Amino acid sequence: MKKLIFMRTSLRVLVGLTVLLWVAISCGRESYYVKEVTFPEGATLAEKVAITARVVPTAEQLAWQKMELTAFLHFGMNTFTGSEWGSGKEDPTWFHPTDLDCDQWAKTLSEAGFKMAILTAKHHDGFCLWPTATTEHSVKNSSWKGGQGDVVREFRDACERYGLKFGVYLSPWDRNAACYGDSPVYNELFVNQLTELLTQYGPVHEVWFDGACGEGPNGKKQVYDWDLFRSTIHRLQPQAVTAIMGDDVRWVGNERGWGRETEWSVTVPGLEPTSADLGSRDVLAEATSVRWYPSEVDVSIRPGWFYHAYEDEQVRSLDNLMDIYFQSVGRNSVLLLNIPPDTRGHFADPDVARLLEFGDAVRALYEYDAVVDGDVIWTAQAGESREFAVDPSRSVNVVMLQEDIARGQRIEEFSVEVLVTGEAAGVGQVAGVSEGAAVAGVAEAGAGTWVEVARGTTVGYKRMLRFPTQSVERIRVNILASRDEAHVAKVALFSLPE
Ligand code: FUL
C-alpha cells in the first residue's frame, strides 16, 4: 500500500490518513495516493470522494493497462483428455503434443495485436508444463520428447522472439498433490513452484491465480497463504502484476466478455467481484478504504477454456469478438482472450483465421482519427465542455475518450455531441450497440444540427462508444460530473467498417 500526500487536502483529512507506506511523487500542485489508501476516521463522503480521485495506479498497473489486448493459453493435460477440469489422477504419459509449435502461437498473437500471453503452467489437475522438481506429475514423465521437453521454456522463448510479454497461470487448487489440504506443507510446495517459474524463465509480467479451493485427498481444506504468494512474486518479479486472487488486477466478474458500462478502477476492497457497483459514491459512503484495482475481462474464443475438436465450429464470430472488444477495452478494462492450442500443440485453423481478422479489424478501427488536435491535456471542471474540429471528409461511428489515469480516474458522467454535416446513416445500423438508446434522433438530424451521439458514466483509461455512421464537422465533449477536475488526455472519432 502506498500513498502520496495531496497538498491541497485539508489538514483534518491528512492527519487521519492511515497507510502502510507512502511515496511522494507530485505532478504540479497535486499529489496522489499510489494504489491504496485508508480513509481517515469519520471522513465525510465529500472527503472520501476527493481522496478517491487521487488514487493512481502503480507503474506496473499502468503499463499493464496500456497493453489493452492480452491472451490466455489453456494447454495441458485437459487438452489430451478432453476435459475442462482434470481429476489429478491422469497418467503423465497422456500428455503428448504431436508437433508443439510455440512460435505459431506467439507469431499469430503478435500479428493479431496482442501484447502479452499467459500460459497455464499448471491447471487444477496439477500437471506441470515445466520439469519441476516439486512433483513427478509433469512433462518430465510424459511421453513428449522422451520427458526432456519444457513447454514453459519453449513458449517463453517464442514470446521473446515475437515481442510478447509473458505471464503464467499457476492454479493454487491442485488435485494431484498429496499434501493439498495440509496447508503449510502445500503452501511451501506452491511457493517452490512459483519460485521455479519466476527465477528460471526470465521476466514475467503477470501471475494469474484463481481462487478455486477444493478439499484435499486427506479430507482437509487448504488454507492458502496469499500474502506469502504475493510477496514471493513482488520479491522475484517486481514488474509483474498479480491477478484475480492477486491485488493488482481484478476479475471483471464474468467469463462472457462483458465489462460494466460504469467501470471504476478505484474500487472498495472486500466487495464481490460480481457486484454491479464496486466504486460509486454510494459504495464509497460505506467504505473505509479504496484500492486501484482495474478490471480484466477474461473470455474464451470458444465455449471451453481447453481445446475440444467438437468446438471447431463454435469459434466466436468477428462481430462477436468486436462486441467483446468494445465491452472490455472500450469500457476501461484489459481484454484477456483465451485461445486454446490443440493436441498437435498448434492453434487450430479457425482460431488463427479469426484472430488475424480480429487484429485487422482493430487496426482498421484506429487507422484514421477524424478529430483535429484530439491529443489534449484538457483539465476539465464538472460542467465544462470543449469543442474540436473534425475532418468532415470521413464518416465516423465510434467516439473514444481517455483520461490521464496517472492522475486518477475522475469522470462520473459525460456526453458527446457532434455537428452533423451530411446525411445521417440511420439509427441501429451498428449491430449490438448497447449505447444505441442514447443516439435515438440521430437519423432525423439534418446538416448543421448538433446531436448527442453518446452518453455515459465512467471513462478511465479508455472509453469507446459506437453510434450510427455520421459525417460531422465538429465534436463537443461535455464533462457532466466529475470527482475532481478531470484530466482528459484524448478525444477521437473513428470509423468502424460495417
Ligand atoms: C477458472 C477455472 O476454473 C477455469 O478452468 C479457467 O481456468 C478460468 C480462466 O478460471 O477459475
Side-chain angles (χ1 to χ4, degrees):
M1 290 187 222
K2 299 167 190 156
K3 86 155 189 178
L4 245 90
I5 296 170
F6 170 51
M7 286 147 59
R8 291 187 301 175
T9 309
S10 73
L11 197 58
R12 190 165 87 74
V13 173
L14 282 177
V15 165
L17 288 170
T18 55
V19 286
L20 293 182
L21 173 67
W22 69 270
V23 180
I25 49 165
S26 52
C27 188
R29 295 170 57 216
E30 292 188 338
S31 296
Y32 301 94
Y33 305 96
V34 179
K35 192 170 180 182
E36 203 153 1
V37 61
T38 300
F39 296 133
E41 192 84 19
T44 64
L45 178 58
E47 287 166 341
K48 289 180 180 182
V49 169
I51 292 170
T52 302
R54 284 173 178 73
V55 176
V56 296
T58 63
E60 294 75 32
Q61 288 175 312
L62 187 57
W64 170 85
Q65 187 91 48
K66 288 181 177 173
M67 285 193 267
E68 302 189 3
L69 279 183
T70 61
F72 227 172
L73 285 86
H74 277 65
F75 184 61
M77 187 58 82
N78 293 338
T79 312
F80 301 90
T81 58
S83 356
E84 282 290 314
W85 280 12
S87 66
K89 296 188 170 51
E90 295 81 9
D91 186 327
T93 61
W94 297 348
F95 180 84
H96 57 96
T98 51
D99 182 32
L100 187 83
D101 187 356
C102 294
D103 272 29
Q104 186 239 16
W105 309 350
K107 181 171 186 286
T108 310
L109 291 173
S110 157
E111 283 177 14
F114 288 78
K115 303 289 185 250
M116 176 166 67
I118 301 176
L119 176 66
T120 50
K122 177 182 86 167
H123 202 252
H124 309 329
D125 54 70
F127 183 79
C128 296
L129 293 184
W130 79 104
T132 173
T134 61
T135 172
E136 292 306 303
H137 201 51
S138 85
V139 282
K140 75 180 174 208
N141 287 315
S142 74
S143 45
W144 175 61
K145 292 196 171 175
Q148 300 302 304
D150 183 342
V151 183
V152 175
R153 181 156 321 277
E154 289 199 24
F155 185 48
R156 206 267 159 276
D157 292 349
C159 286
E160 194 82 38
R161 283 193 284 278
Y162 289 93
L164 289 175
K165 287 187 172 144
F166 174 69
V168 288
Y169 172 116
L170 187 68
S171 171
W173 186 25
D174 187 323
R175 304 182 83 184
N176 177 265
C179 62
Y180 187 86
D182 196 344
S183 296
V185 180
Y186 177 75
N187 285 336
E188 193 184 327
L189 176 140
F190 189 78
V191 165
N192 290 340
Q193 295 187 333
L194 255 184
T195 303
E196 290 179 355
L197 289 170
L198 301 182
T199 56
Q200 297 172 13
Y201 296 92
V204 173
H205 281 87
E206 182 163 343
V207 180
W208 213 94
F209 297 143
D210 67 65
C213 183
E215 189 137 303
N218 47 18
K220 291 194 214 158
K221 182 99 178 145
Q222 175 69 32
V223 180
Y224 299 123
D225 191 344
W226 296 116
D227 287 345
L228 176 64
F229 303 166
R230 286 181 208 129
S231 62
T232 303
I233 297 165
H234 292 315
R235 181 166 50 83
L236 299 175
Q237 295 274 352
Q239 77 290 339
V241 290
T242 61
I244 316 310
M245 295 311 290
D247 63 359
D248 296 311
V249 169
R250 165 173 55 90
W251 180 47
V252 72
N254 65 78
E255 294 177 343
R256 301 189 314 278
W258 188 256
R260 296 168 185 76
E261 290 196 38
T262 302
E263 194 68 76
W264 287 106
S265 290
V266 189
T267 66
V268 174
L271 297 177
E272 282 301 318
T274 48
S275 305
D277 180 1
L278 296 168
S280 73
R281 286 178 186 242
D282 286 351
V283 171
L284 293 182
E286 305 299 319
T288 54
S289 66
V290 281
R291 176 194 293 164
W292 189 276
Y293 200 29
S295 142
E296 179 184 74
V297 172
D298 63 323
V299 61
S300 187
I301 199 166
R302 292 161 169 254
W305 290 102
F306 284 88
Y307 177 81
H308 309 290
Y310 59 83
E311 290 179 353
D312 279 353
E313 305 296 313
Q314 295 174 63
V315 174
R316 290 179 184 276
S317 67
L318 179 60
D319 277 354
N320 184 239
L321 281 185
M322 289 308 285
D323 284 346
I324 287 175
Y325 184 80
F326 279 93
Q327 288 156 200
S328 54
V329 176
R331 289 184 180 169
N332 191 32
S333 297
V334 166
L335 175 59
L336 178 59
L337 180 67
N338 179 64
I339 308 96
D342 62 17
T343 52
R344 294 171 300 174
H346 291 197
F347 282 167
D349 293 348
D351 308 54
V352 172
R354 194 50 37 77
L355 279 174
L356 296 178
E357 278 173 16
F358 174 62
D360 287 345
V362 171
R363 264 189 298 274
L365 167 67
Y366 290 106
E367 207 166 297
Y368 183 74
D369 174 7
V371 174
V372 179
D373 295 332
D375 286 298
V376 285
I377 303 174
W378 171 28
T379 305
Q381 307 295 334
E384 218 178 288
S385 300
R386 183 148 164 179
E387 281 184 31
F388 302 83
V390 178
D391 172 1
S393 68
R394 303 275 193 116
S395 53
V396 291
N397 52 20
V398 174
V399 60
M400 181 178 93
L401 302 178
Q402 290 190 279
E403 278 181 84
D404 176 7
I405 56 167
R407 294 197 272 175
Q409 183 188 357
R410 299 182 175 183
I411 297 171
E412 292 177 298
E413 194 184 352
F414 67 90
S415 69
V416 177
E417 300 161 276
V418 294
L419 183 60
V420 177
T421 53
E423 288 292 300
V427 172
Q429 272 207 340
V430 186
V433 182
S434 62
E435 299 87 358
V439 298
V442 172
E444 299 85 54
T449 317
W450 280 100
V451 288
E452 183 176 289
V453 290
R455 177 177 279 268
T457 51
T458 48
V459 173
Y461 168 70
K462 183 176 273 194
R463 186 73 207 272
M464 285 193 284
L465 297 99
R466 289 173 286 183
F467 57 87
T469 303
Q470 304 287 317
S471 168
V472 310
E473 59 190 48
R474 292 189 79 72
I475 179 172
R476 186 192 290 144
V477 178
N478 307 304
I479 305 302
L480 302 172
S482 189
R483 290 183 167 176
D484 201 327
E485 54 190 18
H487 300 290
V488 179
K490 176 95 177 157
V491 174
L493 283 169
F494 298 116
S495 179
L496 182 67
E498 282 162 22

